[in-house]
Amino acid sequence: MSAASTQGPSTLAVDCGGGGIKASVLDAAGTMHVPPVRVPTPYPLPPERLVRTIADLAATLPRAERATVGMPGMIRHGVVIATPHYVTRSGPRSRVDPELLAAWAGRDIEAALADALGYPVLVLNDAEVHGAGVVSGSGLELVLTLGTGLGSALYDGGTLAPHLELSHAPVRWGVTHDAYLGEHERRRLGDGVWSRRVRRAVDGLRPVVLWDRLYLGGGNARRIRPAVLELLGDDVVVVPNSAGIVGGVRAWSLRPPGAPAG
């Protein structure tokens, strides 16, 4: 590595999903020091277990000086307002556990992780970290991640806007975007029909956001059929799922006011 690429703090980047948690350590240029390590998301998952899981992953990787963690749900200044999968008994689409719901609501997960890891931590919605890895910093840029459910993040001139859970907005007949586009439906319908659903969702969101560019990421973005991609328009770009890790460094420069200094 060049001196320029290593100047600045190394970052533990953790991408927490409904089905898996993966992590790597990045240098200041956003280059991975090692290939990402991944473990299945354990359930049931109270906050303390997520903290232990991330700390155990960190122990297998080179030492970092700060961490960026992306997780599903509404996160404000490192505090969990709501999270969809981690409040369930056995993972996505299983029953919500009232005790887990109470345990996660209002939990300062950023502070808990900083205590466990021993260095500053930035916790954002996982789509926001994904977006940090791909946005150009010019104009209004929307990021949608397609995976277990639907994640979203909005950037204006490279600045992260307040988070909106577009996944919970109805797309038709009272069905949310999360249920309409999630992995369960992709498996049930097949990639062809599911891809057409992605197009309908994009067409529905376009007049709401009027973005300059839309990025489609997450593990399932690569499954969108080429014929559907051609119909989405030149302002829609598919980006690799690795952005959820790579964005861990840049997220610190795009972080919202009140976030910890790195």
Side-chain angles (χ1 to χ4, degrees):
M1 298 180 196
S2 69
S5 68
T6 58
Q7 185 177 5
S10 57
T11 303
L12 171 70
V14 186
D15 186 4
C16 302
I21 299 173
K22 57 186 177 181
S24 185
V25 173
L26 313 173
D27 63 26
T31 302
M32 294 187 195
H33 287 194
V34 292
V37 293
R38 184 186 186 277
V39 296
T41 304
Y43 292 100
L45 188 59
E48 296 78 11
R49 191 176 187 188
L50 179 65
V51 170
R52 289 197 305 271
T53 301
I54 291 173
D56 289 346
L57 279 175
T60 70
L61 294 166
R63 172 72 180 177
E65 297 163 89
R66 65 184 186 183
T68 303
V69 176
M71 61 174 286
M74 179 75 76
I75 316 296
R76 291 183 188 150
H77 308 296
V79 175
V80 178
I81 306 303
T83 188
H85 312 306
Y86 302 165
V87 298
T88 61
R89 297 180 188 273
S90 55
R93 298 183 61 81
S94 64
R95 292 181 61 185
V96 171
D97 185 326
E99 292 186 2
L100 288 172
L101 195 64
W104 276 106
R107 179 58 62 97
D108 191 340
I109 195 67
E110 196 168 80
L113 283 166
D115 287 343
L117 295 172
Y119 44 71
V121 177
L122 177 64
V123 179
L124 298 171
N125 174 274
D126 50 353
E128 294 173 342
V129 179
H130 201 102
V134 299
V135 296
S136 69
S138 175
L140 189 68
E141 299 174 282
L142 177 65
V143 181
L144 297 178
T145 55
L146 300 161
T148 303
L150 178 74
S152 63
L154 190 64
Y155 284 85
D156 185 11
T159 299
L160 180 60
H163 186 65
L164 300 175
E165 280 286 73
L166 294 180
S167 61
H168 294 313
V171 62
R172 66 174 189 178
W173 305 324
V175 178
T176 66
H177 283 81
D178 209 52
Y180 189 66
L181 298 175
E183 171 65 2
H184 176 82
E185 286 296 278
R186 187 198 65 78
R187 287 179 176 271
R188 185 180 72 86
L189 298 168
D191 288 348
V193 175
W194 176 81
S195 294
R196 292 194 290 274
R197 282 193 172 190
V198 171
R199 183 192 174 194
R200 284 195 290 270
V202 168
D203 287 346
L205 288 171
R206 189 184 296 274
V208 176
V209 182
L210 292 176
W211 56 74
D212 291 302
R213 179 160 292 183
L214 167 63
Y215 302 92
L216 297 176
N220 283 341
R222 61 185 174 84
R223 297 182 180 275
I224 302 172
R225 291 290 176 84
V228 171
L229 283 176
E230 290 182 8
L231 297 172
L232 290 178
D234 294 338
D235 58 346
V236 179
V237 179
V238 172
V239 294
N241 194 34
S242 59
I245 293 289
V246 175
V249 172
R250 196 174 177 214
W252 285 82
S253 63
L254 305 177
R255 65 192 189 277

